[in-house]
Amino acid sequence: MNKVNLPELTPPVRRQTSRVKDLIRRLEEEQSLSREAFITLLTDHTPEDDQYLYERADRMRRLHFGNQIYIRGLIEFSSCCKNDCLYCGLRRSNRQAQRYRLTEEEILSCCRVGYQLGYRTFVLQSGEDGWYTDERLCRLIASVKREWPDCAITLSIGEKSRESYQAYFDAGAQRYLLRHETASPAHYARLHPPEQRLETRMECLRNLKEIGYQTGCGFMVGSPGQTAAELAEDFLFLQSFRPEMVGIGPFIPHRDTPFALEPAGTADLTLFCLGLIRLMLPDVLLPATTALGTIDPFGREKGIHAGANVIMPNLSPSDVRGKYMLYDNKISAGDEAAENLAALKARMAAIGCQIPVCRGDYQG
Ligand code: 5AD
């Protein structure tokens, strides 16, 4: 019989050869890269490289979490803050900001609503508000723990002493979010007044981890003065600190801050950073943040396709939601509202994802 030339059934495997793709592959294989490599990634990536990264990162997310997206109910319980971060609408110098404080009972009723809806993590976030003494905070944490022992409590209340962190932990909090904002000391000094120091922030993060919290750090993408070199420092820091959670989102200007006229960070760069983080820390808990949802109506879906696996809908009482204005136009209605979980579930189902009723702890 004559030899038949069969057509090729599958196209030849096309080796992706750009330098950026090589670095993406190396990051996935070794979970670490050099400063120079990060700078190359951040400066040279093309839209084609981005697609390649998102495929790898999305695959990595599915490998660790399947089709599950974890939800956290975010309770913004005080908009009072003693700090003066130049980027933040809650900074103490902002006389226009509307200040409020929820009582313990109000916070507990948020949890009650959230629990009914299916939330099993409550994130208690506030400005650095001295009215909430350690005693009040510990009582609050213990009350939440007592009423919902099957829920995780995440705190996001800023810089405290090691003793305070220990007291909250002993009262029942197991997770803590404290973004480092930027890992470059010079850049940190551009974003904060002199009394706030990067070294203090880093010491807080080390203390949290040592105490045993699932610890989250993170940064803003495109904050004023940020270059690829600064961002590379953020990745090097994540690489050595190896947090259990990472929160990143685009910088968005707030009209009543010194950065009112600065340009916002982009969704594209935020997505690129999310993808890199997923490959560097494969099992990290990584939210598609409100800021990403604010600058792009499909920010959450895009974030998930770039490797994110957590969403944090707003569970604050509706009358205060408009007052926790970190940046202009911060969304809190629609699918961002915790009570519209059905709508969020439908959006997740549309991209093949599910929202389970569970705490969604770090599994590392
Ligand atoms: N744009 C984006 N994110 C901001 N945050 C504060 N202000 C802004 C802003 N203008 C972020 C900070 C902080 C978190 C609670 O919100 O990273 O850690």
Side-chain angles (χ1 to χ4, degrees), residues 4-28:
V4 193
N5 266 338
L6 286 171
E8 269 181 314
L9 293 176
T10 50
V13 179
R14 221 180 307 127
R15 182 123 177 94
Q16 317 249 12
T17 47
S18 84
R19 167 125 177 83
V20 166
K21 290 198 190 77
D22 284 343
L23 290 174
I24 291 170
R25 270 194 294 275
R26 257 189 42 215
L27 181 61
E28 182 173 353

Side-chain angles (χ1 to χ4, degrees), residues 133-161:
T133 56
D134 286 356
E135 198 187 326
R136 286 184 171 128
L137 285 164
C138 287
R139 215 186 51 199
L140 167 66
I141 295 162
S143 303
V144 176
K145 200 77 224 166
R146 196 176 323 113
E147 201 162 337
W148 299 282
D150 54 334
C151 291
I153 301 171
T154 305
L155 297 178
S156 178
I157 56 177
E159 295 179 355
K160 305 277 180 174
S161 69

Side-chain angles (χ1 to χ4, degrees), residues 61-73 118-121 123 175 214 244-245 278 283-288 300 304 308-313 341 344 348 353-364:
R61 175 184 61 74
R62 276 185 274 113
L63 203 67
H64 286 272
F65 303 96
N67 66 351
Q68 302 206 327
I69 301 298
Y70 298 142
I71 49 167
R72 313 338 191 160
Y119 291 86
R120 293 296 178 269
T121 291
V123 180
R175 305 188 194 142
Q214 293 171 42
E244 286 79 25
M245 309 178 279
R278 172 58 66 209
D283 53 6
V284 78
L285 296 164
L286 186 64
R300 274 167 305 219
I304 287 165
N309 72 317
V310 173
I311 294 183
M312 300 167 67
L341 195 53
L344 184 62
M348 292 300 106
C353 291
Q354 251 186 14
I355 294 177
V357 177
C358 73
R359 291 165 44 120
D361 280 291
Y362 179 72
Q363 297 295 344

